[in-house]
Amino acid sequence: MLNSLIKFYKSEDGAVTVDWVVLTAAIAGFGLAVVLVLRPKVEDKTVAIGSVLDAAAVDPAF
């Protein structure tokens, strides 16, 4: 039992998993921050494009 605890303590296999989890969380957090920063600007542009399209004359023959 003691030997298996020592072997588990010295094992570094889990460290790679922790690194990947931290890296993935950082990437997800960065992506969320980018979306939160860009969303109002993109929303303003879509509203402007929508109003231009609403105001455009439509040819009924088309």
Side-chain angles (χ1 to χ4, degrees), residues 9-58:
Y9 179 74
K10 291 183 178 181
S11 174
E12 294 184 9
D13 292 338
V16 174
T17 304
V18 172
D19 290 343
W20 276 104
V21 168
V22 170
L23 183 63
T24 305
I27 291 171
F30 181 70
L32 182 62
V34 168
V35 168
L36 290 176
V37 168
L38 293 180
R39 182 177 178 193
K41 297 174 185 177
V42 172
E43 191 172 353
D44 292 343
K45 295 295 180 185
T46 29
V47 169
I49 291 170
S51 39
V52 168
L53 291 175
D54 286 339
V58 177

